Amino acid sequence: MPAVVPSPDQLPIFEELYRPPPRPVRPHLRLQPPLLADLTARQRRAVTFGDGPLLIVAGAGTGKTTVLTRRIAWLIAEKRARPSEILALTFTEKAAAEMQERVDRLVPYGYTDSVISTFHAFGDRILREHALEAGLSDRSTVLSRAEQVIFLREHLFELPLDRYRPLGDPTRFLGALATLFSRARDEDVTPADYQAAARALAERAAASPEDAALAEEAALQSELAGAYETYERLMRSTDRFDFGDQVTLALRLLRDHPAMLAAERRRFRYILVDEFQDTNHAQFELVKLLAGGPRANVTVVGDDDQSIYRFRGAALSNILGFRAAYPRSASLVLNDNFRSRQAILDAAHRLVAHNDPERLEAREGIDKRLRARSAFRRPEPSAGPIELLAFATGSDEADAVAERIGASMRSGRRAGDHAILVRGNRDADPFLRSLNMQRIPWRFSGTAGLYRQPEVRLLVSFLRAVADPGDSVSCYDLATSEIFGLAAEDVTRALNGASRRRVSLEAALREASAHPESSSFSLVALETVQRLLGALDRHRAMSTERTTGELLYHFITASGWLGRLTREAQQTGEERLGNVARFFEIVRRQSALLRDDRLPFLVAQLDTLIAAGDDPSTVEAEVDDGDAVHVLTYHRAKGLEFPVVFMVGLVEDRFPTRDRRDALPLPVELVRDPLPEGDHHLAEERRLFYVGMTRAAEELALTWAADYGGGRTRRLSQFVLEALDLPPATPLGAIRPSAAERLARNDRPTAAAAGPPRPTLADRQLSLSFGQVNDYLECPARYRYAHVIRIPTPASHQLAYGKALHAAVQAFHRRQMRHEPMSLAELHAELDTNWESVGYLTREHEEARRSAARDALARFWNEQQADPARPAAVEQEFAFLVGRDRIRGRYDRVDVEPDGRVLITDYKSSDVRDPATAARRSRESLQLGIYALAWEAQHGRAPDELALHFLESGLVGRSDVSERRLERAQEKVVTVATGIRAGRFAATPATSRCGFCPFREICPDAIR
Ligand code: SF4
């Protein structure tokens, strides 16, 4: 077959990568967008750059992700690399998923097995693949920062500490120690490096006995170096590792094992790095090591002006380090901006230029000024795209911003076209209140604050109150919560009485309930008290048998609260439900870390986490949700864009914030990168301001107030003066509403701002799994509850059982593929490792189930001993396009017979005991139909046979793949995608369906 000549605009299809199908291509299955047609000349040069190192300096809004994803697709199309030979590294899971999806859409078969991953996930993969060499078991646990603090606390007296463990307050430095150790990891500092630096300092101190400060510093650093060494030893001996370890241990492993490194280098012939300016020293070392010599095929994309995560603001050091590591690298600057109006870009540039000379532009004399290339539907506002608004008070500012958004919506914009950027999580509160007053929907997305959300506080209080009848604070919180709604005055009175008599609030409430005649509660309130006490008793009794997740779930469903939240979500947005779901995830994770996850232990763990500073973020903003104003922190806004942006609270001490240095800074001698001159904190804050400004496409409002409470008059942020080129003493008149206007605000009938109708999903590209397709077909309302609102569901023993069986079978096949047979005892051990004690009715039920699973695996193991077939793939991921929607999943097992026949098998844990049912289930399985479609899309021909393997009975139902079957599967996918896109989520209740539906308690349509 002759080679296909690459077209400049179309992704060519190569024989090895994609064999033409034997029949006309199913029209919906493939989509090949033009690859280069819509790119600028510079973007094209970046995408089609040949071999060798390449630095792309990509300013805000210049299509950085487009360039990276197109480059990956181009490398594949040009046959420079197979998809699996490309490694793309980025920072967040979200960015990696987005990049993966975009690449998948560009390649002809809708899926690549290129590794597109975060640094941490990539390091983790290397460590787990070579766990033995890394000295880790394959069950090691990664600790989050808060868990790291807990770990330090547990081992506090094993650490060789003295000054940093004051006996009067021994945990005072735990957080600072965790931060110091993480910094050391980021800088690729081993305990031996730290010890060497401490020794060198001690020698210097010994040589200058008159220098008392030096002597003290040497003693402190020696203590810290010892603690770091012990921490590392303890982590290894308990099979734990932290986030930093995921990169540094991988790095050390590859350095120490040249054969392993050579294999990884052979594997990845092209490496691409996104957000390069923010990679830390260890991450960059990993890239260099993997890429190889100075002529390596490594492409990095970054912008020093958007660096907001580097240690001590070393924004430039990576980019300069890249040039040093790859002296013959090519570079390209992208400065065609496809987002903002020119005036916004000019102001942002004026601002960031104040960071000179610590900027690439100043250092290298290149032009990084952005040029606006977008056309806008709306004319530019008469006052220009940037407005500076001054207010007398913070509440005037918040009200005015909300009013302006209301007016903007009445002029035809959607709520989601607006963003309010706040510097700190708490700065959002007055704006949220003012938006509420105007009845404008909002979505807050902070970098922290989950535990502060009322709905999450309620859950924490519930758990604490059940665990400890003496915890009056939690009992108070629960009693006055929206679930029980007792009047705060009544409960306060009861609480005062309780403290006089030195009893708990719960005891006082019990007394009131037992002697209503002498209590101060009304009859209605007494009923509520009884309901509260009943709930506490019931859940306390359950807590000895059930896991905390089950207990919590029972509470929110039995109280009817989950149902109320769900109904509320339909009206006002899904944040509260999303936060509840996130808290359930935390409970699940902490349960997994505990040996006994029953209530008292879990509550203690949660308390320690919170005390250790664990402060997870609330639900993240979905940019394309047009129905709510985005209120978010600057760090959260990175990478997003909005037509109208309000940057609020722009006063000194708020933005820039005051410099808060690490309590225990890493000694400068251990910092590998050259540190910037001047005030690095101010420069970093300025870059953050720059990131904020460049989020705005059409309009940018900079707002501030002279009075935010606290008795002092605030000054306008110097960044505003710099951006707008105003002299420092510019008089700025505040917008001061009249007293009547202020009063009217409180009185205003809270009419909803009349915006355009809620947007539908019509323009969205969907990404669906078989499970989602199936849920929609079963009942669209169920799909909505599970996948749109994401309501937490109770732990299900069926699911847990199936997962454990699957995991054991997978492990068996993986070993089989590596020619390392697994014994039955090992197979049973895999089952035990993956076993989760959730959802079972009783211990007896669980034990009976476990014994059934062991029998099933014993049968499976015996069958496998007699069967010479070895799978060609296990748990292999796939994705393909139907129209513009992406269908993704994994094949449990693929066999390719010697004559080339392909069999795809899915393992089932459901109980099927006769061959006829097994065969029918296989014939009718939509899941298998979708797998066949995926195989056809990937390989150009359908598989030859499909099978369901029922593990409990050992029966295998086989079925053929016909054209009709493929068409039917595709029609179903199209039906589902069309329904979701049209927002059709009407319930289709049926007795058989609702009986097993996890949402039956909250679903108004359920048939009981
Ligand atoms: S309870 Fe019934 S109607 Fe409601 S979502 Fe579940 S299956 Fe659909």
Side-chain angles (χ1 to χ4, degrees):
M1 182 119 178
V4 179
V5 180
S7 131
D9 299 330
Q10 189 80 19
L11 186 65
I13 300 166
F14 290 95
E15 190 188 0
E16 293 90 316
L17 302 171
Y18 177 73
R19 285 191 192 85
R23 56 173 169 260
V25 178
R26 211 170 291 284
H28 282 289
L29 284 182
R30 290 176 197 95
L31 190 78
Q32 297 174 45
L35 193 60
L36 304 173
D38 54 347
L39 301 183
T40 63
R42 280 197 193 176
Q43 286 177 326
R44 273 181 192 228
R45 275 171 55 204
V47 169
T48 60
F49 177 79
D51 284 352
L54 170 66
L55 166 67
I56 303 170
V57 179
T62 55
K64 162 177 77 74
T65 311
T66 301
V67 166
L68 267 180
T69 50
R70 300 277 180 104
R71 177 154 174 77
I72 295 172
W74 183 84
L75 288 169
I76 297 169
E78 276 281 289
K79 283 211 297 188
R80 286 172 182 264
R82 291 178 180 282
S84 60
E85 291 172 337
I86 298 173
L87 169 66
L89 294 166
T90 185
F91 273 83
T92 62
E93 300 284 351
K94 201 172 162 203
E98 189 192 326
M99 204 190 292
Q100 177 77 62
E101 201 162 328
R102 284 175 70 166
V103 173
D104 285 352
R105 288 180 194 286
L106 287 167
V107 294
Y109 24 72
Y111 176 74
T112 75
D113 53 358
S114 302
V115 176
I116 299 178
S117 147
T118 61
F119 275 98
H120 291 291
F122 178 70
D124 195 72
R125 185 189 70 81
I126 291 187
L127 291 177
R128 293 196 189 272
E129 275 179 11
H130 306 284
L132 209 63
E133 295 89 335
L136 301 167
S137 86
D138 51 5
R139 281 165 217 147
S140 341
T141 314
V142 185
L143 301 185
S144 68
R145 187 190 182 276
E147 289 158 0
Q148 199 186 346
V149 175
I150 294 175
F151 179 87
L152 284 169
R153 198 171 90 145
E154 282 166 359
H155 296 276
L156 186 55
F157 285 88
E158 292 165 64
L159 298 172
L161 290 172
D162 176 24
R163 295 170 202 229
Y164 292 113
R165 190 184 51 211
L167 291 179
D169 184 8
T171 57
R172 190 191 323 159
F173 290 99
L174 288 186
L177 285 169
T179 305
L180 173 71
F181 299 162
S182 298
R183 294 278 189 222
R185 302 275 200 244
D186 291 350
E187 293 295 310
D188 188 23
V189 171
T190 63
D193 295 336
Y194 208 140
Q195 288 284 17
R199 271 196 306 275
L201 194 61
E203 281 161 20
R204 270 177 35 220
S208 316
E210 71 292 347
D211 191 341
L214 188 62
E216 185 177 9
E217 178 62 16
L220 294 180
Q221 289 305 334
S222 159
E223 186 175 333
L224 293 172
Y228 184 41
E229 189 169 51
T230 310
Y231 166 73
E232 171 132 326
R233 185 168 44 71
L234 288 168
M235 290 282 276
R236 291 301 88 78
S237 64
T238 51
D239 219 5
R240 303 262 196 270
F241 57 113
D242 59 41
F243 280 148
D245 275 332
Q246 287 177 306
V247 175
T248 47
L249 286 186
L251 190 53
R252 282 181 223 164
L253 191 66
L254 293 176
R255 279 181 184 144
D256 295 347
H257 295 82
M260 204 185 286
L261 175 61
E264 292 292 337
R265 280 184 180 165
R266 274 196 304 278
R267 179 169 174 201
F268 298 115
R269 296 187 38 240
Y270 287 84
I271 298 179
L272 298 96
V273 185
D274 190 15
E275 304 281 7
F276 181 63
Q277 73 281 353
D278 282 327
T279 51
N280 62 40
H281 179 83
Q283 289 165 337
F284 186 25
E285 287 298 301
L286 184 63
V287 170
K288 283 193 285 191
L289 194 65
L290 283 170
R295 306 175 82 90
N297 294 324
V298 55
T299 300
V300 300
V301 185
D303 178 12
D304 59 311
D305 289 333
Q306 294 186 72
S307 169
I308 54 174
Y309 289 109
R310 288 284 283 150
F311 178 50
R312 296 183 65 162
L316 257 183
S317 60
N318 269 0
I319 293 180
L320 300 180
F322 187 81
R323 291 229 202 282
Y326 304 102
R328 302 179 66 168
S329 61
S331 29
L332 270 168
V333 181
L334 302 181
N335 46 10
D336 284 330
N337 173 287
F338 300 96
R339 179 184 296 158
S340 311
R341 293 193 191 275
Q342 189 62 52
I344 295 173
L345 299 176
D346 290 343
H349 184 263
R350 236 183 343 258
L351 166 88
V352 84
H354 284 262
N355 278 353
D356 288 346
E358 290 290 334
R359 292 179 60 239
L360 197 62
E361 195 172 33
R363 279 283 184 100
E364 306 214 337
I366 54 172
D367 182 6
K368 283 187 66 203
R369 268 171 308 180
L370 298 174
R371 283 184 282 276
R373 294 289 185 229
S374 279
F376 297 98
R377 213 165 31 86
R378 288 168 177 255
E380 196 167 296
S382 52
I386 306 182
E387 245 188 311
L388 173 60
L389 303 170
F391 298 91
T393 67
S395 53
D396 288 346
E397 180 190 16
D399 287 342
V401 167
E403 277 164 19
R404 278 171 173 256
I405 292 175
S408 172
M409 288 168 66
R410 285 189 289 278
S411 82
R413 286 202 196 276
R414 305 177 309 164
D417 290 340
H418 307 83
I420 300 176
L421 304 187
V422 291
R423 181 65 187 88
N425 291 291
R426 285 172 195 272
D427 298 340
D429 293 347
F431 295 91
L432 302 184
R433 270 198 298 275
S434 296
L435 290 170
N436 283 342
M437 289 284 289
Q438 297 276 331
R439 285 229 177 145
I440 296 173
W442 50 264
R443 183 162 283 128
F444 175 63
S445 176
T447 41
L450 184 71
Y451 297 128
R452 282 208 318 274
Q453 303 309 309
E455 57 277 9
V456 175
R457 248 186 40 211
L458 189 162
L459 295 178
V460 176
S461 293
F462 164 75
L463 292 178
R464 285 178 177 154
V466 173
D468 178 5
D471 183 345
S472 296
V473 174
S474 299
C475 185
Y476 178 91
D477 219 22
L478 190 64
T480 54
S481 70
E482 59 183 290
I483 293 187
F484 295 102
L486 279 173
E489 317 81 75
D490 287 350
V491 189
T492 308
R493 221 173 300 129
L495 191 60
N496 289 340
S499 68
R500 268 199 305 278
R501 279 175 290 129
R502 295 179 188 276
V503 295
S504 68
L505 174 62
E506 186 181 325
L509 292 178
R510 284 192 191 281
E511 214 173 294
S513 167
H515 304 286
E517 64 292 344
S518 55
S519 104
S520 58
F521 287 106
S522 69
L523 273 182
V524 180
L526 272 173
E527 267 174 36
T528 311
V529 168
Q530 275 154 8
R531 213 158 35 87
L532 167 70
L533 295 173
L536 289 172
D537 290 341
R538 231 180 358 267
H539 290 97
R540 225 165 256 152
M542 284 168 65
S543 69
T544 53
E545 283 291 324
R546 304 285 184 91
T547 66
T548 307
E550 290 169 324
L551 202 69
L552 206 54
Y553 192 79
H554 185 272
F555 171 62
I556 64 174
T557 44
S559 62
W561 187 56
L562 184 58
R564 285 206 296 282
L565 276 184
T566 311
R567 284 191 292 281
E568 172 197 296
Q570 294 173 2
Q571 312 290 325
T572 58
E574 287 147 11
E575 285 70 40
R576 278 163 42 92
L577 258 181
N579 289 335
V580 169
R582 194 159 270 205
F583 182 67
F584 267 78
E585 279 165 28
I586 292 172
V587 169
R588 210 166 286 154
R589 168 161 171 88
Q590 294 310 317
S591 301
L593 285 176
L594 288 171
R595 241 177 306 142
D596 188 335
D597 68 346
R598 242 67 60 96
L599 186 66
F601 306 103
L602 200 281
V603 167
Q605 177 85 349
L606 269 181
D607 285 344
T608 318
L609 259 188
I610 294 170
D614 185 44
D615 197 5
S617 56
T618 50
V619 285
E620 250 180 77
E622 290 288 337
V623 199
D624 50 359
D625 276 344
D627 55 353
V629 173
H630 299 278
V631 184
L632 64 179
T633 57
Y634 287 80
H635 285 93
R636 269 292 164 99
K638 181 115 190 272
L640 306 180
E641 62 180 69
F642 307 92
V644 183
V645 169
F646 292 84
M647 289 172 64
V648 298
L650 303 180
V651 292
E652 291 294 314
D653 283 352
R654 273 199 180 191
F655 207 170
T657 57
R658 284 201 186 149
D659 188 6
R660 260 177 282 150
R661 286 162 198 268
D662 289 343
L664 297 176
L666 189 68
V668 177
E669 307 82 72
L670 290 171
V671 179
R672 317 283 191 183
D673 292 324
L675 292 174
E677 302 279 313
D679 186 338
H680 65 77
H681 172 74
L682 192 66
E684 175 134 336
E685 288 284 295
R686 195 177 275 118
R687 286 192 291 272
L688 197 58
F689 202 98
Y690 175 81
V691 165
M693 292 182 79
T694 50
R695 301 308 95 197
E698 298 184 50
E699 294 173 32
L700 172 64
L702 306 172
T703 75
W704 70 291
D707 176 8
Y708 287 100
R712 67 187 169 117
T713 303
R714 302 301 199 105
R715 281 187 309 134
L716 177 62
S717 163
Q718 74 175 87
F719 294 157
V720 177
L721 301 176
E722 290 169 4
L724 303 186
D725 204 15
L726 300 173
T730 307
L732 295 160
I735 300 173
R736 195 181 294 271
S738 69
E741 271 176 313
R742 285 187 211 204
L743 288 173
R745 269 183 201 144
N746 298 320
D747 199 27
R748 177 173 298 136
T750 45
R758 277 171 80 103
T760 65
L761 296 165
D763 298 327
R764 272 201 217 168
Q765 297 171 321
L766 303 172
S767 178
L768 298 169
S769 65
F770 161 71
Q772 288 170 312
V773 171
N774 194 50
D775 276 353
Y776 188 90
L777 290 171
E778 279 280 310
C779 174
R782 174 147 117 196
Y783 171 89
R784 182 172 170 275
Y785 291 139
H787 308 291
V788 179
I789 308 182
R790 296 197 197 99
I791 296 176
T793 50
S796 138
H797 62 82
Q798 291 96 336
L799 249 175
Y801 172 80
K803 263 167 68 184
L805 264 185
H806 262 85
V809 168
Q810 260 171 44
F812 177 88
H813 283 320
R814 289 226 164 90
R815 290 270 293 266
Q816 204 181 18
M817 285 173 71
R818 297 203 302 263
H819 301 270
E820 296 168 10
M822 181 182 267
S823 69
L824 180 56
E826 286 175 312
L827 185 60
H828 280 156
E830 284 293 339
L831 177 77
D832 292 341
T833 306
N834 291 288
W835 191 265
E836 271 188 275
S837 301
V838 290
Y840 294 98
L841 303 179
T842 58
R843 292 270 171 234
E844 292 74 22
H845 177 213
E846 182 178 346
E847 280 321 309
R849 214 54 178 134
R850 195 195 288 255
S851 149
R854 290 172 72 84
D855 291 349
L857 287 178
R859 187 180 309 107
F860 168 80
W861 188 85
N862 283 321
E863 286 160 7
Q864 294 296 312
Q865 304 310 304
D867 183 358
R870 186 177 302 123
V874 178
E875 281 289 301
Q876 190 184 65
E877 288 184 8
F878 65 75
F880 64 103
L881 298 174
V882 173
R884 61 187 147 149
D885 300 316
R886 186 168 179 258
I887 313 300
R888 57 193 156 71
R890 280 167 198 252
Y891 311 113
D892 276 356
R893 169 177 180 158
V894 179
D895 288 87
V896 181
E897 292 171 9
D899 61 357
R901 282 174 61 79
V902 173
L903 166 68
I904 298 178
T905 302
D906 195 66
Y907 287 105
K908 293 282 171 214
S909 53
S910 46
D911 189 13
V912 167
R913 288 165 192 257
D914 67 284
T917 308
R920 181 180 52 75
R921 292 269 303 265
S922 174
R923 267 195 319 275
E924 293 174 357
S925 166
L926 173 62
Q927 184 175 14
L928 291 180
I930 287 178
Y931 289 2
L933 273 180
W935 190 267
E936 186 197 52
Q938 284 179 290
H939 300 274
R941 71 178 188 89
D944 300 281
E945 216 178 356
L946 302 167
L948 292 182
H949 185 144
F950 296 93
L951 289 165
E952 287 220 333
S953 59
L955 286 172
V956 179
R958 293 182 176 240
S959 54
D960 293 334
V961 185
S962 64
E963 185 64 17
R964 180 72 199 114
R965 183 172 187 178
L966 292 173
E967 276 167 15
R968 267 209 317 270
Q970 189 180 335
E971 279 160 18
K972 291 209 164 144
V973 170
V974 171
T975 305
V976 168
T978 312
I980 295 172
R981 213 176 255 116
R984 286 198 290 266
F985 296 118
T988 51
T991 317
S992 57
R993 217 171 273 149
C994 300
F996 294 100
C997 177
F999 306 106
R1000 61 186 176 278
E1001 301 299 337
I1002 54 163
C1003 172
D1005 301 295
I1007 296 179
R1008 286 160 217 279

